[in-house]
Amino acid sequence: MRAQKVKWFTGVKGKVGIAKVLTDDGDTEYRISVVDGFLEHMDVQQVVAWGAYFPHEAGDPLFPEEQ
């Protein structure tokens, strides 16, 4: 899996990443995770590898340019 695009949000408890991910099967998924915020490339890898599923109904509007 690899990230196609990532949106970052900052809150009181840290940085949150939502990634649009291309799976090995060629499907698109969205993943969400809290990250450290120190190295972006490591944060992206964490969101892709360990992020929780984020529904298409919520992810599609965040990445309208990618549809």
Side-chain angles (χ1 to χ4, degrees), residues 2-9 15-21 29-33 35 40-48 62-63 65-66:
R2 66 179 174 88
Q4 293 180 309
K5 185 115 182 170
V6 181
K7 300 262 181 168
W8 299 106
F9 301 91
K15 199 171 192 180
V16 176
I18 301 173
K20 183 173 185 176
V21 176
E29 293 182 356
Y30 296 100
R31 300 290 182 112
I32 185 170
S33 182
V35 297
E40 186 173 5
H41 70 281
M42 296 292 288
D43 292 342
V44 170
Q45 289 178 352
Q46 180 178 336
V47 173
V48 171
L62 288 174
F63 300 92
E65 70 280 357
E66 298 290 323

Side-chain angles (χ1 to χ4, degrees), residues 4 21-29 56:
Q4 293 180 309
V21 176
L22 183 63
T23 68
D24 295 334
D25 297 331
D27 296 328
T28 299
E29 293 182 356
H56 279 271

